[in-house]
Amino acid sequence: MTPTPAQIAVDAVRRELGGNHLIWLGIRGQDAEPLLRFAEFVGSFSLIAPLRSGSLAADMNQSLEQLSGRRIDPDADTVDLAADEHGREFQRRLLKAVSGECVLMTYRPTALASDLAFSMATTMRLAGMFADRNASFDHKPWVETQLRARHVKGLGWTYVAKENRSRVERLVAAEGPQILRTGRKSGGVGIVLVRHHDEIDACWPDGNDTFVGVSRYVETGVPVNLSGCVFRDGTLRVHPASVQLIGVPSCIDRPFGYCGNDFVAAAALPSSVLNALDALAATVGTWLHEERYVGAFGVDALVVEEDVRFVEVNARFQGSSALSAEIALGLDLPDLYLDHLAATLGLQTVSPGLSISEWASCSPPAAHVVVHNTMGCDAIRADEVEMPDVPRDVRLTLLPDDIRIAPGGTLCRLVLSRSVTLDGFALDAATEEMVDAVRARYIPAC
C-alpha cells in the first residue's frame, strides 16, 4: 500500500528523532493529543488541562494546576510567571524530564524553554523558536508596519501616547467608537472598545507600552482565523480556516476575548473570500520566512462583506490548533503539529498541501466553544454534581478536576460536529443552552 503524505511525514520525523524522547510544553496538556501517534512522545507539561492518556507515566504528565489546585487564566499567566512554590516545583519536574536526550516541543516560545535549550544544548533540541528571537513577532505595531509595506490591508491602526488621550477623544467624536489595544497582549487581553469620550480614562488598557493602538470599530466584520507552517526553505503549508468566536457574553467577560472556532462557518464563506484568505496566509508566511521564522503560525483577519483585512499574527500555535489537527488526522493528512515538528527539526515538506478552499471542501464539520469563568471570583465545581448530558455528537474537554478556577480560567470546551455561529460574536440557541447547562454546574467559592 502506498503510504499517505501524513505517514511519510511521520516516518521522516521519527527518523530525525532517532529514538530520542519527545516532550510537550504548552498551555493545555490536552492540546498534545496529536503527538500520541509518536512512540517517542513520553511527556506532557502544561499550565492547565493535563493530557488524558494512559500511555504517559504519571511523573511525565504534569500540569501546574495539579500542583497548585488552581486553574489560571492562560491568557494572563505563563510558565515564565509561575514564580511561587508550585511554579518552582513544576519547573523542577520539567527539568528532570528533559535531563536525557530529548526534543522539547513548545506551544509558544518561553524564556523557560529557551533557558533549558541553551543550558542543555548537548542533549536537548528545541522544536520551536527561542523566546527573545520570537518576541519581535509579538510586537503588533512592528508586524503591521512590515506587512503594510507588502500591501497587506489592515485596520488602519494609529498609535497614541498615553499622555495624549485627547487625540482619542477627537477620534471618537469625529469617527465614532474606537478600539484601543496594547502592543503585545493576546487572547483579547488589552483590547477595549470606547464608544464615548467620557469612557476613555476608565477604559484605557493596562500595559507597559508608552502608547496604544487606536482603530475605528468595525461592527459588521466576521473574525476569521488562519493557520499554517513555514519550513526552513520557505515552503508554506496552510491548514483549515475558521470563524473565530470572540467576546460571546455567556463564554467570556472580555469584549474581544477568545472563546472558540467554527470551521463550518468559515467553509461557507464565498470562494472569493477563501481565495483572499489564502493569499493573505501566503504573504504573511513569505514575510515570516524572510524574517527567519520557522514553524507553526496563525493569522487573525476580519472579513467585511468580501473585503479581507489583516488583524494580527500569532507566531505560535493557537487555540484553534488542536481541533485543526483533529480535522487533518481524520483525513489522513499532515496536521499542524506534524508540520511544525518537521519544520523545526529541519525537514522539508513532502507536498504543497491543500489550499484553504480545498480544506473547506473536504473537511468534516467541526467547531468548538471554550467557556470561561465569568463569576468574578474563584469558582469550584460541586463534587456531587456531574457535568450535564450532551448530544452524542458533542464532546466536553478541558474539564477540570476538583480545583479552583481563577477569573477567566477555562471551565470546559464543547467540541461539536456542526456550526455554532453566523458571525463569530454570538452562538445559536442550542449551543447557548449547552453553555448555560455547563455553567450551572459551577458555584462561587469565594
Side-chain angles (χ1 to χ4, degrees), residues 88 203 223 283 327 404 446:
R88 291 192 295 272
C203 293
T283 301
I327 291 170
R404 299 170 69 90
C446 60

Side-chain angles (χ1 to χ4, degrees), residues 12 31 52 117 131 143 165 215 234 237 306 318 322 340 367 416 421 435:
D31 280 358
R52 308 292 190 184
V143 171
R165 299 186 184 186
S215 173
R237 285 172 57 90
E306 295 194 16
Q318 306 174 105
H340 177 86
L416 309 94
T421 188
V435 170

Side-chain angles (χ1 to χ4, degrees), residues 40-204:
E40 295 84 357
F41 178 49
V42 300
S44 172
F45 289 78
S46 62
L47 299 184
I48 69 170
L51 183 61
R52 308 292 190 184
S53 173
S55 65
L56 304 184
D59 63 340
M60 294 292 286
N61 188 10
Q62 297 286 311
S63 187
L64 179 62
E65 70 179 19
Q66 295 171 312
L67 299 173
S68 66
R70 185 171 184 265
R71 175 171 287 189
I72 63 173
D73 176 357
D75 292 319
D77 298 282
T78 70
V79 170
D80 296 327
L81 298 179
D84 60 11
E85 60 178 308
H86 305 297
R88 291 192 295 272
E89 176 62 17
F90 176 83
Q91 294 181 24
R92 185 191 68 79
R93 296 185 184 190
L94 174 63
L95 180 61
K96 180 180 178 182
V98 300
S99 59
E101 293 189 350
C102 66
V103 171
L104 181 64
M105 181 175 173
T106 59
Y107 175 89
R108 69 183 306 160
T110 65
L112 171 61
S114 298
D115 289 345
L116 289 174
F118 279 118
S119 63
M120 308 176 75
T122 58
T123 58
M124 190 183 88
R125 296 174 68 179
L126 181 61
M129 298 287 286
F130 286 94
D132 286 340
R133 276 198 61 195
N134 201 78
S136 60
F137 299 109
D138 289 334
H139 191 240
K140 294 176 175 60
W142 177 71
V143 171
E144 291 153 7
T145 300
Q146 294 294 304
L147 292 176
R148 189 183 306 122
R150 288 157 176 79
H151 310 292
V152 172
K153 185 175 183 179
L155 297 181
W157 294 96
T158 57
Y159 299 98
V160 178
K162 291 181 177 180
E163 296 78 13
N164 196 14
R165 299 186 184 186
S166 60
R167 185 179 175 191
V168 179
E169 292 182 7
R170 292 194 295 272
L171 286 170
V172 172
E175 301 179 5
Q178 301 286 314
I179 300 293
L180 274 59
R181 185 186 71 180
T182 58
R184 290 185 183 272
K185 300 289 186 178
S186 64
V189 176
I191 305 177
V192 298
L193 172 62
V194 175
R195 293 185 179 276
H196 305 286
H197 68 86
D198 56 2
E199 300 172 347
I200 292 174
D201 287 341
C203 293
W204 197 267

